[in-house]
Amino acid sequence: MEKSEQIMVGITDFNHKLLLSRKPIMERVLSGFSLSEISLIEYIASYPETNVTQIAAALYMTRGAISKLTKKLESRGILNSYQKNDNKKEIHFTLTVAGQEVEDRHRKLHQTFISNDKPVFQSFSDEELDIVIRFLNCYNQHLDQELK
């Protein structure tokens, strides 16, 4: 098998195992929320005053899917929508107190995952990690071009 194939198989295997190991924990801690909903909450927490188009682009989802998710989360009291006085066309979002509590649990969960993974990362030199980062950035740029 060529190195490129080994890398792609490794990435696929890695992704499956990561989801398999972390999904049950996330489902327990963030019970009642889908991964898409959590991603949406995380994005709104990170980018206040964001709108549907920005969220859709960032999460690689359609605007219709984002509209559906935001309406669902708004009805559950997780986020609020609003329009700015200077632009009544765009709908923006902020988290409610309940939404921020969900994001806080999510962030703490990620911190636990990072802490648990630390020994793996510490087993590599900075130079080796820089090569991995460079590869990931390069491959992401390649995928961005394919998606255009």
Side-chain angles (χ1 to χ4, degrees), residues 28-42:
R28 187 181 73 250
V29 172
L30 302 166
S31 179
F33 294 95
S34 69
L35 292 176
S36 295
E37 290 168 338
I38 294 300
S39 294
L40 178 71
I41 292 167
E42 178 183 33

Side-chain angles (χ1 to χ4, degrees), residues 54-114:
Q54 293 164 329
I55 297 168
L59 300 183
Y60 304 100
M61 297 174 77
T62 65
R63 289 190 328 232
I66 297 301
S67 293
K68 187 175 178 181
L69 283 173
T70 55
K71 285 177 185 164
K72 182 178 177 185
L73 291 173
E74 191 170 15
S75 72
R76 293 175 63 189
I78 300 300
L79 55 87
N80 290 318
S81 63
Y82 66 94
Q83 294 172 310
K84 293 183 178 181
N85 290 331
D86 62 340
N87 186 347
K88 297 292 184 184
K89 187 176 174 183
E90 289 183 351
I91 299 173
H92 298 267
F93 303 95
T94 58
L95 295 179
T96 63
V97 172
Q100 189 58 55
E101 288 172 1
V102 172
E103 172 55 19
D104 291 343
R105 284 186 303 193
H106 176 244
R107 192 174 348 96
K108 286 177 186 171
L109 193 56
H110 271 283
Q111 289 169 345
T112 300
F113 293 152
I114 289 168

